[in-house]
Amino acid sequence: MEKIILLIPSIPIFIALILFFVTKKELIPKVSIMLSSMLALLALYGTYYVISNGTPIIGFDGLLIYNQLSAILVPYVAILGLVIRKYATKYMWDEAGYRRFFILLNFIFSSIYLLVMSNNLIVLALAWQLLSISLYLLVSFNVGSNTAVRHARWIMIIHKGADLVFILAIVLTYQTFGSFDLAILSEKWLAMSHNAVNNPIVFVIGLLFLIAAMMKSAIMPFHIWLPYTSEAPTPVSAVMHAGVVNVGGILLNKLAYLLLLTPAVLNIAFIVGLLTAIFASIIMLTVSDIKRSLGYSTVGQMGYMIMEVGLGAFSLAIYHLIVHGIFKATLFLESGGLIRLARHEPNLPKRLSYELFWEEKIKSKSKKIFNYLAFFTILPVVVFVGVKMVLSEEFFQFNASIVILAFAWLTGTQLFLSFFKVSKSESFKMILALVSSFIIILFTYEFIGLELEHFIYGDDALLFYKAATLNVTMLMALVMLAAIMIVGWLFMYKQHFVDVPEAGNKPAKFKWLFYKFLAKEGYYFSLLKIFKKDNA
């Protein structure tokens, strides 16, 4: 009976075939939502079966598997897909190609289910290809727009590059390890991890899989396809930012035992993830288009997810992509209404970048505000230490703690900025709600991360942390964290309280050069144009 769960990847294809023969427009969303609801219930049943029995469901000669990773991700994708379909029923009603949209939407969800549930590298490659084609067709849905088609072409170029790298990695994997079966390969990789592996081909395989994941998950320098898909329909943007862009993290989790053999690849993942998280998050502040700003926000979050993988926190990356996916899908679905409102309301609020780079404020001698700043940015770290001591006996044993500390401080900084704004209206309830919500989020982040770790990988989870050989002692970690916090405090203090001459209100030259660099997205396209001219 439980084998029926393995039909989940084929159900969206079945829905698409039914929609192809539906002629009445009113029936299209009803059929899609009804069958998608059944799919979501089936996914939840599969999760219940895996949790209650503790064994995965394997079928089709071992090609598909519904294991612990699938039990978490498939219901998430199914429920998310149901919400997006429901939103699209009204949002896309007046668009040409209404039926075509729902058919393509089912194809992209089928590819995601197949990717998550695949237990064979060939099946994984097929899902990888189907995902690229479906995404291209959805982003270029508005075929009358030249920019939409051009940006969709960027997606195809980068994603097909990822497909090529992925297939090359699969060929090398089969030549080196003699199998396409992921379950067999994982057992073999786990056994090999007990001894040092000096085969350079293994490193090349791990690096190729990492590059493929980076290209699909919009990690810099392969990020540009994601922010420039703003002309895609809003439901498509929600699918991309909450589902498609996460496939890199999903792939690396499916190949986690391979990365045990390649610590250097994990280190590379940490570095590129760190650079992506910082750079994309800063660019986000300078982008004027709301969807493109959200796009760079997603790129930054994907960088953060790859950082977690690079530190061996594979299960934490899964939790991160789920929470971020729900949050970002909500933002994109809300942005559709916001864009409509903005078209009728010319008095738009100023962006944070305008306040940071243009509005200079008179210096204040008050130390009270700076004390508030210090307190509300150190509070999250104190809370995190308390959480770790309660939930873990071996505090700071593994490097993932450093990532969580950085997350705590950055979130605390955002908390302070929000606190500073609402304090002007002396809203004590709002301030209390911000602090309370942060503490709840941090407890949840740490607790659920640990629970997922035990559920997906069990005792093997410790091996991933040890393989991520970015050794940082507790003293070094605290020194680094203190340095980051001090620099951050000074930066924020400088932004809020700056000396300004009464006459000749001129912005700082260096500040504007930095802003120009960000506004031009690091001169990414300028470099591409130069490269094209040289090759012409």
Side-chain angles (χ1 to χ4, degrees), residues 269-294:
F270 174 79
I271 294 170
V272 297
L274 176 64
L275 295 176
T276 300
I278 294 173
F279 196 55
S281 299
I282 296 175
I283 289 180
M284 178 191 70
L285 300 177
T286 66
V287 177
S288 57
D289 182 89
I290 184 172
K291 281 191 175 182
R292 193 142 51 96
S293 177
L294 290 174

Short mmCIF file of all heavy atoms in Angstrom, two decimals, residues 269-294:
data_model
loop_
_atom_site.label_atom_id
_atom_site.label_comp_id
_atom_site.label_asym_id
_atom_site.label_seq_id
_atom_site.Cartn_x
_atom_site.Cartn_y
_atom_site.Cartn_z
N ALA A 269 33.02 25.53 -0.26
CA ALA A 269 31.60 25.86 -0.11
C ALA A 269 31.40 26.94 0.96
O ALA A 269 30.60 27.86 0.78
CB ALA A 269 30.80 24.60 0.26
N PHE A 270 32.14 26.83 2.05
CA PHE A 270 32.02 27.83 3.11
C PHE A 270 32.46 29.21 2.62
O PHE A 270 31.78 30.22 2.87
CB PHE A 270 32.87 27.42 4.32
CG PHE A 270 32.93 28.47 5.40
CD1 PHE A 270 31.88 28.62 6.28
CD2 PHE A 270 34.02 29.30 5.50
CE1 PHE A 270 31.91 29.60 7.26
CE2 PHE A 270 34.08 30.28 6.48
CZ PHE A 270 33.02 30.43 7.37
N ILE A 271 33.56 29.27 1.89
CA ILE A 271 34.10 30.56 1.44
C ILE A 271 33.17 31.22 0.43
O ILE A 271 32.83 32.40 0.56
CB ILE A 271 35.52 30.37 0.85
CG1 ILE A 271 36.49 29.93 1.96
CG2 ILE A 271 36.00 31.65 0.20
CD1 ILE A 271 37.84 29.49 1.45
N VAL A 272 32.74 30.46 -0.59
CA VAL A 272 31.86 31.07 -1.60
C VAL A 272 30.51 31.43 -0.99
O VAL A 272 29.89 32.44 -1.37
CB VAL A 272 31.68 30.13 -2.82
CG1 VAL A 272 32.99 29.90 -3.52
CG2 VAL A 272 31.03 28.81 -2.43
N GLY A 273 30.06 30.64 -0.04
CA GLY A 273 28.81 30.96 0.64
C GLY A 273 28.92 32.23 1.45
O GLY A 273 28.00 33.06 1.46
N LEU A 274 30.05 32.39 2.13
CA LEU A 274 30.28 33.60 2.94
C LEU A 274 30.30 34.84 2.06
O LEU A 274 29.64 35.85 2.35
CB LEU A 274 31.60 33.46 3.69
CG LEU A 274 32.06 34.67 4.50
CD1 LEU A 274 31.09 34.95 5.64
CD2 LEU A 274 33.47 34.45 5.05
N LEU A 275 31.06 34.79 0.96
CA LEU A 275 31.15 35.94 0.05
C LEU A 275 29.79 36.27 -0.57
O LEU A 275 29.41 37.44 -0.69
CB LEU A 275 32.18 35.67 -1.04
CG LEU A 275 33.64 35.51 -0.57
CD1 LEU A 275 34.53 35.14 -1.74
CD2 LEU A 275 34.13 36.79 0.10
N THR A 276 29.05 35.23 -0.94
CA THR A 276 27.74 35.45 -1.53
C THR A 276 26.78 36.08 -0.53
O THR A 276 26.04 37.02 -0.86
CB THR A 276 27.16 34.12 -2.05
OG1 THR A 276 28.03 33.58 -3.04
CG2 THR A 276 25.78 34.32 -2.65
N ALA A 277 26.79 35.58 0.70
CA ALA A 277 25.89 36.09 1.73
C ALA A 277 26.14 37.57 2.00
O ALA A 277 25.19 38.36 2.11
CB ALA A 277 26.04 35.27 3.01
N ILE A 278 27.40 37.95 2.07
CA ILE A 278 27.73 39.35 2.38
C ILE A 278 27.43 40.26 1.18
O ILE A 278 26.73 41.26 1.29
CB ILE A 278 29.22 39.47 2.78
CG1 ILE A 278 29.46 38.73 4.10
CG2 ILE A 278 29.62 40.93 2.91
CD1 ILE A 278 30.91 38.64 4.50
N PHE A 279 27.96 39.89 0.02
CA PHE A 279 27.87 40.76 -1.14
C PHE A 279 26.42 40.93 -1.61
O PHE A 279 25.96 42.04 -1.89
CB PHE A 279 28.74 40.20 -2.27
CG PHE A 279 29.04 41.18 -3.37
CD1 PHE A 279 29.62 42.40 -3.08
CD2 PHE A 279 28.72 40.89 -4.68
CE1 PHE A 279 29.90 43.31 -4.09
CE2 PHE A 279 28.99 41.79 -5.71
CZ PHE A 279 29.58 43.01 -5.40
N ALA A 280 25.68 39.84 -1.71
CA ALA A 280 24.30 39.91 -2.20
C ALA A 280 23.41 40.68 -1.23
O ALA A 280 22.52 41.43 -1.65
CB ALA A 280 23.75 38.50 -2.42
N SER A 281 23.65 40.52 0.07
CA SER A 281 22.83 41.21 1.06
C SER A 281 23.04 42.72 1.00
O SER A 281 22.12 43.50 1.24
CB SER A 281 23.14 40.69 2.46
OG SER A 281 22.85 39.31 2.55
N ILE A 282 24.26 43.14 0.68
CA ILE A 282 24.54 44.58 0.56
C ILE A 282 23.93 45.14 -0.72
O ILE A 282 23.32 46.21 -0.72
CB ILE A 282 26.05 44.85 0.61
CG1 ILE A 282 26.63 44.42 1.97
CG2 ILE A 282 26.35 46.31 0.37
CD1 ILE A 282 28.12 44.54 2.07
N ILE A 283 24.08 44.41 -1.83
CA ILE A 283 23.50 44.87 -3.10
C ILE A 283 21.99 45.01 -2.98
O ILE A 283 21.39 45.92 -3.57
CB ILE A 283 23.87 43.89 -4.23
CG1 ILE A 283 25.35 44.01 -4.58
CG2 ILE A 283 23.03 44.17 -5.48
CD1 ILE A 283 25.80 43.08 -5.68
N MET A 284 21.37 44.14 -2.20
CA MET A 284 19.93 44.19 -2.02
C MET A 284 19.45 45.58 -1.59
O MET A 284 18.37 46.02 -1.97
CB MET A 284 19.51 43.15 -0.98
CG MET A 284 18.03 43.13 -0.65
SD MET A 284 17.68 42.11 0.80
CE MET A 284 18.40 43.13 2.10
N LEU A 285 20.27 46.30 -0.82
CA LEU A 285 19.87 47.61 -0.30
C LEU A 285 19.84 48.69 -1.37
O LEU A 285 19.19 49.72 -1.20
CB LEU A 285 20.82 48.04 0.82
CG LEU A 285 20.91 47.12 2.03
CD1 LEU A 285 21.96 47.63 3.00
CD2 LEU A 285 19.56 46.99 2.72
N THR A 286 20.55 48.48 -2.48
CA THR A 286 20.67 49.53 -3.49
C THR A 286 19.76 49.32 -4.69
O THR A 286 19.68 50.18 -5.55
CB THR A 286 22.12 49.60 -4.00
OG1 THR A 286 22.44 48.39 -4.70
CG2 THR A 286 23.09 49.80 -2.86
N VAL A 287 19.11 48.17 -4.77
CA VAL A 287 18.28 47.85 -5.93
C VAL A 287 16.91 48.50 -5.78
O VAL A 287 16.30 48.42 -4.72
CB VAL A 287 18.13 46.32 -6.09
CG1 VAL A 287 17.22 45.98 -7.25
CG2 VAL A 287 19.49 45.69 -6.30
N SER A 288 16.44 49.15 -6.84
CA SER A 288 15.19 49.89 -6.75
C SER A 288 13.97 49.02 -7.03
O SER A 288 12.89 49.27 -6.49
CB SER A 288 15.20 51.05 -7.75
OG SER A 288 15.42 50.56 -9.06
N ASP A 289 14.10 47.99 -7.86
CA ASP A 289 12.98 47.12 -8.20
C ASP A 289 12.70 46.17 -7.03
O ASP A 289 13.61 45.50 -6.54
CB ASP A 289 13.31 46.33 -9.46
CG ASP A 289 12.17 45.43 -9.90
OD1 ASP A 289 11.30 45.89 -10.65
OD2 ASP A 289 12.14 44.27 -9.46
N ILE A 290 11.44 46.10 -6.60
CA ILE A 290 11.12 45.32 -5.40
C ILE A 290 11.39 43.83 -5.60
O ILE A 290 11.91 43.15 -4.71
CB ILE A 290 9.64 45.55 -4.98
CG1 ILE A 290 9.35 44.80 -3.68
CG2 ILE A 290 8.67 45.15 -6.09
CD1 ILE A 290 7.99 45.14 -3.11
N LYS A 291 11.05 43.29 -6.78
CA LYS A 291 11.30 41.87 -7.03
C LYS A 291 12.79 41.58 -7.13
O LYS A 291 13.27 40.54 -6.65
CB LYS A 291 10.58 41.42 -8.30
CG LYS A 291 9.09 41.16 -8.12
CD LYS A 291 8.54 40.47 -9.36
CE LYS A 291 7.09 40.07 -9.18
NZ LYS A 291 6.57 39.37 -10.37
N ARG A 292 13.55 42.48 -7.76
CA ARG A 292 14.99 42.26 -7.89
C ARG A 292 15.66 42.36 -6.51
O ARG A 292 16.62 41.65 -6.22
CB ARG A 292 15.60 43.28 -8.85
CG ARG A 292 17.01 42.95 -9.30
CD ARG A 292 17.23 43.31 -10.76
NE ARG A 292 16.84 44.66 -11.07
CZ ARG A 292 17.70 45.70 -11.10
NH1 ARG A 292 18.98 45.50 -10.81
NH2 ARG A 292 17.28 46.89 -11.42
N SER A 293 15.16 43.27 -5.67
CA SER A 293 15.67 43.37 -4.30
C SER A 293 15.43 42.06 -3.55
O SER A 293 16.32 41.55 -2.87
CB SER A 293 14.99 44.53 -3.58
OG SER A 293 15.42 44.61 -2.25
N LEU A 294 14.23 41.51 -3.69
CA LEU A 294 13.95 40.21 -3.07
C LEU A 294 14.82 39.12 -3.68
O LEU A 294 15.20 38.17 -2.99
CB LEU A 294 12.47 39.87 -3.25
CG LEU A 294 11.47 40.70 -2.45
CD1 LEU A 294 10.05 40.34 -2.83
CD2 LEU A 294 11.68 40.52 -0.95
#
